[in-house]
Amino acid sequence: MALKELEDVGYIDLYFCDESHFNMLPYIPYAWQKKGDQIRLPSSKSKRVNVIGAVNRKGKLIYEIHEDSVKTDIFIEFVDKLCDQITRKTILVLDNASIHKSKKFKAKIEQWEEEDLYIYFITPYSPELNIIEILWKHIKYYWIGFSAYENYQTLIINLTNILNSYGNKYVINYA
């Protein structure tokens, strides 16, 4: 039985997890404007805002925002906190990023399995198999407004508002 089917029948909880970063360079793939009009967006170099998230297909999001780089220790702490929240067998889907495959991370897997949290690695170079990538795309390309790029603090406020409103105001149907 596939993981999605096991989740659908209530046998497991299934979360898709990854990290992403945001900064003061807007992610605007294209825009429409009248001929001769200009759209001006503030854009500047800034430090990155890093987010670790775990999302399920039902719209539940667990996340943390970090202004420092997300390294193995920070990621392990996130998974430990996630593990504390689970109520039944849970599968955490991850890509093959180096922080997910480090010796330190792998050393924790057995402990998490004893607490009913199991790690499942997707096929390398297959980000389309991790649905949290769809969430990052929606935030960057559709949900963050132009005004979020006024300054670094505004970016963090807007990002936090979107993450806090995910599942209510901001929804993705993963089917």
Side-chain angles (χ1 to χ4, degrees):
M1 200 177 242
L3 292 175
K4 289 179 183 180
E5 291 169 339
L6 290 171
E7 179 189 37
D8 289 342
V9 297
Y11 184 73
I12 64 167
D13 284 331
L14 180 61
Y15 282 90
F16 298 82
C17 184
D18 201 14
E19 313 76 39
S20 189
H21 70 274
F22 301 81
N23 58 36
M24 294 297 295
L25 299 173
Y27 296 93
I28 310 298
Y30 59 87
W32 293 97
Q33 73 242 13
K34 292 182 181 178
K35 190 173 183 175
D37 287 351
Q38 290 184 352
I39 297 175
R40 294 178 185 238
L41 293 176
S43 177
S44 62
K45 287 189 174 188
S46 72
K47 57 185 177 177
R48 293 170 21 157
V49 179
N50 298 292
V51 181
I52 307 171
V55 67
N56 68 14
R57 294 182 306 137
K58 298 171 186 164
K60 183 175 181 182
L61 172 65
I62 300 163
Y63 75 91
E64 289 181 356
I65 294 176
H66 294 272
E67 291 190 31
D68 295 325
S69 294
V70 175
K71 297 196 168 141
T72 299
D73 289 336
I74 291 173
F75 190 71
I76 287 172
E77 287 176 21
F78 177 81
V79 176
D80 281 340
K81 290 175 192 170
L82 177 66
C83 194
D84 290 341
Q85 297 179 41
I86 66 172
T87 56
R88 65 175 155 192
K89 185 178 288 191
T90 301
I91 309 296
L92 187 63
V93 177
L94 297 173
D95 62 19
N96 293 275
S98 59
I99 64 172
H100 306 157
K101 292 286 195 157
S102 69
K103 287 181 184 179
K104 201 170 197 179
F105 183 83
K106 287 181 176 181
K108 291 282 292 184
I109 291 176
E110 189 174 316
Q111 176 189 338
W112 291 323
E113 287 177 352
E114 290 172 5
E115 299 177 42
D116 267 349
L117 179 70
Y118 297 85
I119 305 299
Y120 179 84
F121 292 103
I122 61 174
T123 307
Y125 308 108
S126 303
E128 71 279 2
L129 298 177
N130 193 339
I131 66 170
I132 199 163
E133 298 292 351
I134 299 168
L135 173 62
W136 301 144
K137 177 182 174 183
H138 274 74
I139 293 171
K140 290 178 180 183
Y141 291 102
Y142 307 117
W143 295 341
I144 286 188
F146 294 156
S147 62
Y149 297 100
E150 289 177 12
N151 61 57
Y152 184 73
Q153 195 58 39
T154 304
L155 176 64
I156 292 174
I157 290 168
N158 278 265
L159 179 59
T160 302
N161 288 338
I162 291 169
L163 293 168
N164 285 338
S165 299
Y166 181 74
N168 297 312
K169 183 177 177 183
Y170 301 98
V171 177
I172 300 171
N173 182 1
Y174 295 107

